[in-house]
Each structure stands twice: as structure tokens, then as C-alpha cells.
Amino acid sequence: MTDLTGTTAIELAVEPAPHRRLHPVAGFLGWRLLGGALTWLFASILIFVATELLPGNVITVVLGRNARPEAVAALREQLGLNQALVPRYLDWLKGFVTGDWGFSSASLATGNPENVKHIVATYGANTLTLAAIAMLILIPLSLFLGTLAAGRRGWTDHTIVLGSLIAISLPEFVVGTLLIVVFFTVLNLLPPVSLVPPGTSALSNPRILVLPVLTLLLTNMAWSTRLVRSGTRAELSSDYVRFADLLGFPRRRLVWRLALRNGLPVSVQAFALIAQYMLGGIVLTEAVFTYPGLGTALVNAVIERDIPVVQAIAMVLAALYIVINILADLIVLLLVPRLRTTL
Amino acid sequence: MTNSQSGKFTRRNALMRGAGLGAGVLALPALLDACGGSGASSGSTGSTAAATPKNGGNLALGLVGAGNAETLSPLGATYLPDYTRIPALFDPLVALADDGSVIPALAESWTPNKDGTVWEIKLRKDVTFHDGSPLTADDVIWTVQRMSLPTSVGAPFTANIRVKELKKADPHTVIWPLYLANARPLDDFVGANPNCYIFKNGLKDFSNPIGTGPWKFESFTPGQRSVFARNDNYWGAKPHPAKFTLVTSFQDETSLGNAVLGGQLHGASGFSATEFRSLKAAGNVTTYSVAGSQDLTFYMRADRSPFTDVRVRQAMRLIMDRQQIVDVVMDGQGIVLNDLYGKGLPLYADGIPQRTPDIEQAKSLLKAAGQENLQVTLTVGDIWGGMTAAAQLYAQQAKAAGVTINVKKILPSDVFNPATGYPYTFSETDWPLSSLAYQYGESLAENAPFNETAQASNTAWQKMYVAAQGTLDPSLQQERWNAVQKSLWDSGGYIFYGRPNTLAAASPHVKGVKTDTFLGGVVGPQTPVNGLWID
């Protein structure tokens, strides 16, 4: 009998049973994690150098007119900016991996030291909440709409495609602003600004999450829906599906259980990219709704040349990106057993 | 993203040092009536005369924020949110009253020795810190010592004080010795200036800010919000709301305005003329256009060609149509200035006639100086939203006199950056209202840290200036200061052109907003908050 994922039983039988070898998936994970750690280290160097290359320093930027030469000189010393690049980087790296993320330079320059870990945790929690909610809705909805569009040509397909085309063409902040106009200015149903008091969770006032989530869905779902759609359609026209069709499989099963599942790998990567984007890239959405997320914190820190904060956020995001990539590859591996044999 | 009316750089507006106009309200007893509320007020009824204040509630106000640079330390205060929080928690030695005059706050009286080089400052005896301990001379001395550290933003204000010789004559009297004689030694310590507020002896860590102010610290997250509670043991007029929350997580004025419209804030301030218009049109908030607190100016370096010739400087001033700039760039919401800083403040020479444009005179001056068809570069960064527009309008006006001004845009963060050339040959800047001593000390005096017009090398003027500062006799003092300013008006390098109104919006339930005083508005430099209540 043909294994419907494409590997025949004969092929499986011929494969020698592995003795005393690491399970391929475990091996894969091991290598990827090692590679991830190295990537992370490399990223830390790149981030450090890039921020250093930015003109200006935190003191002159933050103090502006108040940055008198004596103040700048004294604060440079205090903030350790006079140290050479490499020792400074190593000091920072050592602190980072041991959990000491230091203080925000901008806050040190103005006399109110803020712990970087605390800053990242506060903004990070908000970002994770928003991203999680958005992804929890986006994934099933994209799968459903994409497959629906692929399975039924005609009006359903056209509507979904057209809708996604429109959504893709509108920039994030335009969508967000339009939603505010509709739901606040006109209907007065939802708050126009999504403030999250520090120390509270974004979930304690769910109404403020509705519009940002809606904005993220509208701008990202279009893309993932289209990818699910094209992936599923490609599978639908492949040989084994045609064969199954000839064998009398019901249409619904062909579409939802065969084509969708096998067309998933590309979509998984798309979901991964979207998840990564939602973690660190949604600065404009955050700005439109004044939502205190990591993107905002990062941009502000870059503008202020607040290197400890930039480093910390960038490292956290890099780690999350790497983990998401590994997870995505793992899921694809689990979806496509053929790949496991080539590991 | 360099449009500073929205987007990240709006925080640079905060660098306008807010209208640090001082804690006049702190020193005034009881309630303030709104003095008719006309003048600059607009929108629906702003009149609050004879209304009875209600106590209680959590007054939530908002400003565009400054991220992690926000602070509760007077030693590092730089941004508008700081200008609002520090006067809430702490008090200054002296304050600016509604009419701009300097009145006692923590300092009850101050008397000089014969030549004005040593002053005796008597402090109020009924002031306690938030932790219950009394205010004494030690706290003042400690504060000034910390201010004088090189890392402190307020160090220039202690430059003339012999800090090491500060001592207390008794628990409530500070002996205040100076290097140079000064008739008004506390002008730099006026409440308009957040860097001079008095904190508790020994305080170094401002995560627990112990002050004497009308509000007590509860919580603070920089770039997000602060929550303060009313100080029921305050020595001055106690605030009405039980709590005061200042939200500063806004990146731009649009979301700030939305928060007011949506009822998530009771009020906010710092809007541009455009946003102000749409808030007015919305109809469900009260809008306020009150006297502003930063003087906008161009500056010319008198030590750089072509501005070494006084005739060129005079010509550049005569070319400008200040009223047009106010009308066009500020939407008419502002006042015209007369090439001098500090209109309305003590010592200001208001007898000097307002300069008006005179293209013919400008042309003949340029011709006499051999600079017909002059070409200059004007370096501009949008530290206040309309600066580039003002520069471009000025360039247009200059064409009539045959002068070509090339406007060169730079990043707001480079406006004060020596690495990129500050002070530039010809540029634009703003000066927050505080005192003449403040601006002259920062930019005109001999060892001024920001020698924007090269006035430091004008020895004749420096002599006049030092003499005026040391003149104890009040009538002679004003006469000499008038002469000092006349000289600047005739041949200086600043072209002060306008003071934009502070534009604010608030829920109709917010009462007590002062609209025609020096310290008006909803939120911003401190004072307004203390007189507000929620209906």
C-alpha cells in the first residue's frame, strides 16, 4: 500500500535499521541549536558594532542643549563610553549571559537609573501577549480561508483572493488608522489608544487589544492565506491526489486531509516569519495605538543611542527568531517524513 | 521620520524645556479665579470664575514622552515631562507669579550685604518633606552642591556661587556667597527651571524622590507614566485631585489627541496648530490656546563671515516679517517678539519699540557693507515643529532684499551637537522662558556654555552686563538692563521672532484652567496641574 505521504513501504523496508545512532530528529535539533547559539553570538557582535557606528552618543542625544562639554566628559566616564570597543563588548557579553543586563544609558545620563531587564520584561510581556493572541487567530483562520479558496474555484476563491489583495496593499498604519476611524470616531465602540499601565497585563483590559489585533490580522493574514491557498492548490494538482481522486476519495477529504496537510511546509515558514515580525517589527502598529511593545522600545533606544537597551532587545529578538526558525523547521520535518530520512 | 509634529522627534519638542514658567501657583494662597478666562482661550466655555473646586479623583493627563530619558531627578531634567513631574514632587526657592514677577517660594526673603556679593536667604519654617522631616538650610546646601557637579545639568546655574563656602547661619538661614556681585541671585533658581528644585539632604537615588512638593511619589516608569498622590501636609495651596497620573507613552500628538477624545485622558498639551484645529472641530473637548513658554529665534555668529559686519546683522533683522511667520507657521497662535529674549519677564526692556520689516533700509545697509546679493546658509533642525517652515518663510521674505538664504536641514539631535558644528554660523533655536539671567548666562555672558552669537568677545557689552547684574538699586538696575538690552537690540546676533502659544485640550469636566496668565494651560510646566480639579 502506498504511504500517502509519498514514501512507499518498499522504500521503508529497504532502509537499514539504525543501530546505536541518534534519532535523526534529535540529531537535527542538536546541530540546529548549536548553530543557533553561534548565530546568536555573531548577531551580538554585529548589533554591537552597528550601534557603535551610529553617529552621536547617548549623552549628547539625550541631554541635547544641556550637553555641556564638562557634563559630556564626566558622563562618558561614568557610562564607560571611553573604554575601547573590544573590552566594552566583552564586558557587556559577560554581563548579559550571567543575567546582568545593566542600566539604560539614557536613564543614567538623566539621573534615574532604570534596569534594562525590567524594561525588556515589561515591553516584552506586552509584545508576547499581542503576538500570541494575533497568531492564535491568524493560523487557523489562514488555514481555513486558504484551503477554502483552493478547494473551491469560483466566487469563494475570487472573494478571498481579492480581499487579501486589498489588505496587502494597505500599509499597517493606514489599516490601523482606518480601524480607529470606524470603531472609535464613527461607532464609538472601542478605545482609540491601547494604553497598558506598567505593572499590569494587557489582558486585564481586553478591549484595548481588539483594534491592534485586528490590524495585525488584516495586514498579515492576507499573505499567509495566499500561501496556504497556493500550497494547497499545488498539491491538489499533483499525481497522488489525482490518483486518490480516481480511487474515489471524497472531495472534502482530498482537499482538507491530503492537499492541505502536504501543502503546509511553505505555509509553516510563512507563519514563522509572521510570528517573528509580530515580535519585533510592528513598530507602526504600536505607534498608532500607543501600545508599549518591544518595537517601540527598540526604536526609541536606537534614537537615544541607548546601547544597553538596544543590545538587550536585539539579543532577545535574535534569540526568539532563531528559536522560531528551529521550531518551524522541526514542524516541517514532522510534517514531511521523507525529509527525516535524509537527515 | 523627521516631521516633528508626529513621530519620534516630537520628543525633541520636549527639549523646548517646556514652558518652565515656575511654581507661581505654589506660592499663591487658596484658589485662583480664572480671571475671566479670555485672551487666548478658544473652544467651548473655558470660564471657571467663581466655581467651587471639588476635591478627589485621579487626574490623568498626557504628554508626548521622552522614553528612558525621562527622570525625576532635578539634576538631569531635560524634557517636558520632567518639567511637569519635578515641580509636582519638589519646590523651588522662588517662583514666577501669574504676571511673571518673581515671588518667594521655599525662600521667604533674601538680603544682600553692601555690595551684593553675599546674600542671606531665609527659608520658610513650616515646610516638611514627604517623609515628615523639616526643610532646613542643610537641604538647600546639599542641593546646590549636587547641582554644581559636572554631570549635573544645572551646573551652569551654580557657576557664580562659591559653593564650597555655602553655610547655614541657623537651621533656616543660608549664607550664599557669590563670585561676582548680583542684584538678583535667585533668578536662576526660579521655578521655571526644573534643574534647581530643592531635594532632601543626602538624597542621591531618585527612585525614591523625597521632596517638599504638592504631590507625593507613588510610582514612575520612564517613557510610560507616573502616579503621584496629593500631599495633604503641603505648605502651600493643596491640589484638589487625590491623584495625578501623567501618561507619556505617546509617540506622537495624534494618538495623544485620540486619548483625550476617547476619554482615556482628562487632558493633554503640546499640540501643533494642525492637530489643535482637529481637536477643536471634534467638539467634545475644550481646547485651550494659552500664552507660550519658549522664545523662538534665529542666531547669527558675529565672529563668522558675513555676520562680522554689524550692518549685515542689522539688515537680516530688518528683512524678517515676524508677524507673517506667526500668522503662517503658528496659525496666528502666538506673539511676536522683538529680537530680545524674555518678553514680559522681570527686567525685560519693554520700552524698546517693536522692530518692523524695512526692506529698503536692509538693502542700503547691505550695500554699505558691500554685501549686495548676499548668499547665506541657514542650518535648521526641527526641535520645535514649525522651525523649518519658519526658516523657509524667512528665506522667501529675504528674496525681496536680494538676499538668498539656503535652508539646510539637519537632524534635531544635531541642533546642539558640537560634533556637527554647533553653534552654526546661521541657525535657529528656541529658549525656554525662565529668567533673563538664565538665557544671558547660558548664551551671552563671557563664559557662556552656548556662545551662539559670539557675544562673549564683546568686551564693552560684557562690562555693561556685569555692572547691570551687580546694581542693587532697583531703578538704576532697570535703567542699566534697558541699556544692555538696547545694545543687543541694536547690534546683537539673535533674531527672536515669536513665542507660540501652548495648545492644549481637555475634557469639559476639567476645571480651573488658567488661560491668560504666564502659567496657564492644562499640563506642561508644572503649575497648571496644581490648580485643576475634576468636576
Side-chain angles (χ1 to χ4, degrees):
Chain A
M1 190 184 87
T2 309
D3 177 333
L4 292 170
T5 58
T7 311
T8 63
I10 300 163
E11 286 181 69
L12 280 172
V14 166
E15 194 68 28
H19 310 289
R20 291 167 156 268
R21 261 180 63 198
L22 203 55
H23 188 280
V25 176
F28 159 82
L29 257 183
W31 278 114
R32 289 301 303 275
L33 284 172
L34 183 63
L38 283 173
T39 310
W40 204 39
L41 186 67
F42 190 56
S44 77
I45 299 174
L46 270 182
I47 294 161
F48 193 84
V49 170
T51 340
E52 287 293 323
L53 285 178
L54 285 172
N57 63 66
V58 61
I59 302 162
T60 49
V61 169
V62 159
L63 293 185
R65 181 200 285 288
N66 286 335
R68 297 162 358 260
E70 311 85 56
V72 174
L75 280 168
R76 278 192 75 98
E77 197 52 51
Q78 198 177 309
L79 295 177
L81 293 179
N82 289 331
Q83 244 188 327
L85 214 61
V86 176
R88 195 143 45 101
Y89 167 74
L90 290 173
D91 267 343
W92 167 78
L93 188 65
K94 195 169 76 151
F96 190 82
V97 298
T98 55
D100 172 18
W101 293 9
F103 292 95
S104 146
S105 305
S107 68
L108 282 173
T110 52
N112 225 119
E114 282 297 305
N115 197 313
V116 173
K117 241 197 207 167
H118 185 243
I119 295 171
V120 175
T122 320
Y123 288 94
N126 295 332
T127 294
L128 282 173
T129 311
L130 186 60
I133 295 178
M135 290 305 286
L136 278 173
I137 303 174
L138 180 139
I139 293 177
L141 207 50
S142 300
L143 290 174
F144 174 69
L145 288 175
T147 311
L148 198 66
R152 302 187 195 179
R153 310 296 173 88
W155 280 117
T156 325
D157 185 22
H158 290 322
T159 317
I160 293 177
V161 168
L162 193 62
S164 61
L165 206 60
I166 295 174
I168 276 181
S169 352
L170 290 175
E172 221 171 84
F173 59 91
V174 171
V175 174
T177 313
L178 280 174
L179 286 174
I180 293 177
V181 169
V182 169
F183 286 96
F184 166 63
T185 314
V186 173
L187 297 174
N188 205 9
L189 276 178
L190 292 167
V193 173
S194 304
L195 299 171
V196 180
T200 64
S201 157
L203 292 169
S204 54
N205 185 8
R207 286 177 77 223
I208 62 163
L209 288 173
V210 176
L211 290 183
V213 168
L214 212 50
T215 307
L216 292 177
L217 285 178
L218 285 174
T219 49
N220 292 293
M221 221 171 60
W223 185 49
S224 52
T225 304
R226 291 174 70 85
L227 275 172
V228 169
R229 174 184 172 274
S230 54
T232 310
R233 271 179 76 165
E235 288 302 305
L236 277 176
S237 42
S238 66
D239 285 347
Y240 73 93
V241 171
R242 290 218 183 130
F243 198 58
D245 190 20
L246 289 173
L247 283 178
F249 277 62
R251 174 83 181 160
R252 180 172 284 189
R253 195 167 166 201
L254 283 178
V255 173
W256 293 90
R257 288 200 58 190
L258 293 190
L260 169 59
R261 186 203 179 287
N262 296 323
L264 269 183
V266 174
S267 310
V268 167
Q269 299 294 359
F271 290 137
L273 274 171
I274 293 174
Q276 290 167 342
Y277 174 65
M278 285 197 190
L279 286 172
I282 52 169
V283 184
L284 291 177
T285 306
E286 288 174 12
V288 167
F289 294 102
T290 313
Y291 188 74
L294 275 182
T296 308
L298 183 57
V299 172
N300 285 349
V302 171
I303 291 175
E304 287 172 343
R305 307 289 191 268
D306 195 342
I307 295 182
V309 176
V310 174
Q311 294 280 136
I313 297 178
M315 291 296 280
V316 166
L317 287 177
L320 285 171
Y321 281 29
I322 292 169
V323 165
I324 290 175
N325 278 338
I326 295 177
L327 268 177
D329 286 346
L330 192 62
I331 293 175
V332 171
L333 212 56
L334 294 173
L335 284 175
V336 186
R338 188 198 299 139
L339 290 178
R340 284 177 241 162
T341 63
T342 60
L343 279 176
Chain B
M1 269 227 267
T2 54
N3 171 11
S4 69
Q5 296 303 358
S6 58
K8 302 296 173 285
F9 290 108
T10 315
R11 285 186 292 137
R12 282 351 214 127
N13 287 356
L15 203 56
M16 76 183 181
R17 303 346 178 6
L21 280 181
V25 179
L26 299 179
L28 294 173
L31 314 164
L32 313 134
D33 66 78
C35 327
S38 60
S41 173
S42 60
S44 35
T45 156
S47 167
T48 52
T52 321
K54 287 201 190 141
N55 283 344
N58 182 347
L59 184 63
L61 302 172
L63 292 170
V64 170
N68 288 317
E70 289 177 12
T71 182
L72 295 179
S73 163
L75 302 174
T78 304
Y79 293 93
L80 184 52
D82 310 331
Y83 275 60
T84 314
R85 293 189 173 115
I86 284 168
L89 297 172
F90 305 95
D91 285 315
L93 288 175
V94 294
L96 272 186
D98 284 358
D99 62 357
S101 58
V102 174
I103 53 177
L106 289 182
E108 233 172 23
S109 64
W110 46 104
T111 45
N113 64 351
K114 213 168 67 158
D115 59 0
T117 51
V118 180
W119 287 76
E120 199 179 80
I121 301 178
K122 291 215 183 292
L123 304 172
R124 286 184 76 107
K125 297 192 172 62
D126 59 346
V127 181
T128 51
F129 283 96
H130 299 147
D131 64 358
S133 56
L135 171 79
T136 66
D138 289 324
D139 304 301
V140 174
I141 294 174
W142 169 256
T143 301
V144 177
Q145 285 170 342
R146 300 296 292 174
M147 269 176 75
S148 66
L149 293 174
T151 48
S152 149
V153 148
F157 310 127
T158 61
N160 193 30
I161 306 174
R162 294 178 188 268
V163 179
K164 290 200 173 57
E165 292 164 44
L166 278 172
K167 54 182 189 280
K168 66 176 180 188
D170 63 57
H172 293 99
T173 306
V174 183
I175 305 298
W176 191 274
L178 306 171
Y179 287 104
L180 291 176
N182 195 317
R184 302 177 59 100
L186 295 183
D187 268 3
D188 274 327
F189 284 75
V190 78
N193 177 0
N195 303 123
C196 68
Y197 277 66
I198 306 299
F199 45 91
K200 192 166 153 69
N201 187 13
L203 186 63
K204 281 190 189 174
D205 177 8
F206 286 88
S207 57
N208 183 21
I210 304 183
T212 58
W215 301 91
K216 284 205 264 215
F217 173 80
E218 259 192 20
S219 71
F220 173 54
T221 309
Q224 291 293 305
R225 71 174 60 190
S226 60
V227 181
F228 299 154
R230 177 174 64 223
N231 177 8
D232 286 312
N233 295 322
Y234 187 56
W235 56 271
K238 297 183 220 328
H240 302 296
K243 287 208 193 197
F244 163 40
T245 301
L246 184 69
V247 183
T248 50
S249 47
F250 301 94
Q251 304 296 308
D252 62 82
E253 56 169 0
T254 314
S255 40
L256 184 65
N258 280 345
V260 181
L261 290 172
Q264 286 155 300
L265 290 176
H266 287 112
S269 182
F271 295 108
S272 69
T274 331
E275 178 68 23
F276 188 65
R277 276 216 205 143
S278 49
L279 287 169
K280 246 207 267 198
N284 57 333
V285 291
T286 312
T287 51
Y288 300 94
S289 174
V290 302
S293 55
Q294 51 173 353
D295 286 355
L296 301 176
T297 178
F298 292 94
Y299 65 83
M300 305 173 282
R301 279 184 65 158
D303 60 345
R304 292 232 183 118
S305 169
F307 302 113
T308 43
D309 190 329
V310 63
R311 289 170 295 193
V312 174
R313 299 200 297 271
Q314 287 167 338
M316 295 306 287
R317 286 161 149 196
L318 286 168
I319 289 169
M320 180 181 291
D321 184 346
R322 293 160 188 71
Q323 187 62 59
Q324 190 188 35
I325 296 186
V326 168
D327 290 338
V328 172
V329 177
M330 303 177 197
D331 208 21
Q333 319 245 31
I335 60 171
V336 167
L337 296 178
N338 193 15
D339 294 339
L340 290 170
Y341 166 83
K343 181 171 173 146
L345 291 178
L347 296 179
Y348 179 78
D350 47 24
I352 301 179
Q354 173 65 48
R355 181 164 274 138
T356 49
D358 187 342
I359 300 290
E360 288 315 310
Q361 171 73 340
K363 276 202 220 170
S364 77
L365 280 169
L366 287 171
K367 190 159 173 201
Q371 295 279 16
E372 286 175 282
N373 304 317
L374 174 65
Q375 280 218 20
V376 279
T377 304
L378 174 54
T379 311
V380 181
D382 270 337
I383 52 174
W384 175 76
M387 270 177 167
T388 309
Q392 283 159 344
L393 187 50
Y394 183 29
Q396 247 184 336
Q397 294 168 351
K399 287 199 189 124
V403 174
T404 309
I405 298 180
N406 300 315
V407 177
K408 176 176 158 208
K409 282 205 68 165
I410 57 172
L411 291 177
S413 51
D414 282 339
V415 170
F416 302 114
N417 189 0
T420 52
Y422 172 77
Y424 304 93
T425 305
F426 187 26
S427 185
E428 194 176 353
T429 185
D430 66 1
W431 281 97
L433 276 188
S434 180
S435 62
L436 261 58
Y438 159 71
Q439 201 262 343
Y440 284 47
E442 294 263 271
S443 74
L444 295 170
E446 199 175 339
N447 43 13
F450 306 108
N451 195 9
E452 289 165 344
T453 56
Q455 190 73 14
S457 34
N458 186 334
T459 36
W461 184 88
Q462 292 296 335
K463 280 214 189 85
M464 259 202 313
Y465 168 61
V466 169
Q469 277 195 309
T471 308
L472 295 172
D473 175 353
S475 54
L476 196 53
Q477 183 186 82
Q478 186 62 60
E479 199 183 294
R480 290 194 175 156
W481 271 94
N482 286 346
V484 162
Q485 289 169 82
K486 184 72 171 46
S487 167
L488 291 174
W489 191 79
D490 283 334
S491 55
Y494 278 112
I495 317 179
F496 279 94
Y497 63 87
R499 181 184 299 165
N501 282 356
T502 298
L503 304 174
S507 148
H509 291 291
V510 172
K511 300 281 195 273
V513 181
K514 289 196 287 183
T515 55
D516 58 358
T517 65
F518 243 101
L519 325 157
V522 170
V523 64
Q526 71 181 58
T527 325
V529 176
N530 298 332
L532 302 179
W533 71 90
I534 310 168
D535 205 340

